[in-house]
Amino acid sequence: MLLRIFDIFFSFIGLVFLSPILFVIFFIGYFDTGSPLFIQKRVGRYKKFFYLIKFRTMKLDTENVASHLAPSKNITRFGKFLRKTKIDELPQLINVFFGTMSFVGPRPNLPNQYELIDARDCLDIYESRPGITGLAQIQNIDMSTPNLLAKTDKEMIKSLNTALYFKYIIKTVLGSGQGDAI
């Protein structure tokens, strides 16, 4: 419950104070792709679907697949900057504020990532709220290795406390992890 209070408080503060930056990125993104927001159906807590919000980093005609399956040539120049700085993740503050995500938790997968869904099902990962970052992200474990990802998610969930919650956030902000592979 305490971590949910942190989620609400910090996502609200982030949305308020970062709103000028969000607006500028939205504006630049509009000229980059014509559609600056990327909204994608994901699997959330208790396997309920929700819509994840990010800044668009790929061309509009990119196939709706996991990042590690998408061709790197589809990333726009501005998208490369957004991914490198992890600014593309900032709109997820909206997801965190409304409770479909947490700052820390297993990264939400696509509904068609069946192998990952099965691996996570076996370990009850879907009992937890998905997150923007977590242990797997700072260790550069992405969705291309579903069993390892599920095991790492379980390890994080079992040990998650207030100190680790902030540790994962700080490590992410300071550059640990490179995001999903392309």
Side-chain angles (χ1 to χ4, degrees):
M1 187 61 167
L2 180 62
L3 299 182
R4 180 68 191 128
I5 292 168
F6 289 149
D7 281 345
I8 294 167
F9 178 75
F10 291 117
S11 62
F12 178 77
I13 296 298
L15 287 167
V16 169
F17 286 105
L18 295 173
S19 60
I21 294 169
L22 295 170
F23 178 75
V24 169
I25 298 299
F26 183 90
F27 185 75
I28 295 169
Y30 183 79
F31 288 101
D32 186 45
T33 63
S35 180
L37 291 179
F38 176 72
I39 300 172
Q40 187 179 52
K41 188 180 200 180
R42 297 287 180 108
V43 181
R45 190 175 193 187
Y46 308 122
K47 291 176 75 174
K48 291 183 180 177
F49 296 129
F50 75 99
Y51 290 93
L52 179 130
I53 307 166
K54 294 175 73 167
F55 283 121
R56 184 176 302 280
T57 60
M58 294 190 182
K59 298 173 186 173
L60 286 174
D61 61 351
T62 302
E63 187 180 358
N64 191 14
V65 296
S67 291
H68 68 277
L69 299 175
S72 60
K73 66 180 172 69
N74 286 3
I75 300 175
T76 68
R77 209 168 94 208
F78 185 57
K80 286 179 187 172
F81 165 76
L82 293 177
R83 282 174 173 250
K84 183 176 180 151
T85 59
K86 300 179 184 167
I87 291 173
D88 64 318
E89 308 283 348
L90 288 179
Q92 290 174 65
L93 291 173
I94 296 166
N95 291 111
V96 173
F97 182 76
F98 286 108
T100 54
M101 291 181 71
S102 175
F103 278 104
V104 176
R107 283 299 292 166
N109 54 274
L110 295 168
N112 63 357
Q113 290 179 291
Y114 304 114
E115 190 178 349
L116 179 56
I117 290 170
D118 289 343
R120 284 180 163 175
D121 258 345
C122 291
L123 298 175
D124 296 324
I125 301 302
Y126 293 108
E127 299 296 311
S128 298
R129 197 178 314 270
I132 295 174
T133 192
L135 180 60
Q137 286 67 43
I138 64 172
Q139 291 184 349
N140 289 317
I141 300 168
D142 67 17
M143 294 184 186
S144 65
T145 55
N147 291 320
L148 177 60
L149 178 58
K151 287 177 187 171
T152 306
D153 288 341
K154 184 64 173 183
E155 179 186 331
M156 175 190 62
I157 291 166
K158 282 179 21 181
S159 64
L160 191 60
N161 58 35
T162 305
L164 286 174
Y165 174 91
F166 286 107
K167 178 183 176 181
Y168 296 145
I169 293 169
I170 290 167
K171 283 189 157 236
T172 300
V173 169
L174 295 178
S176 291
Q178 301 302 311
D180 286 335
I182 297 283

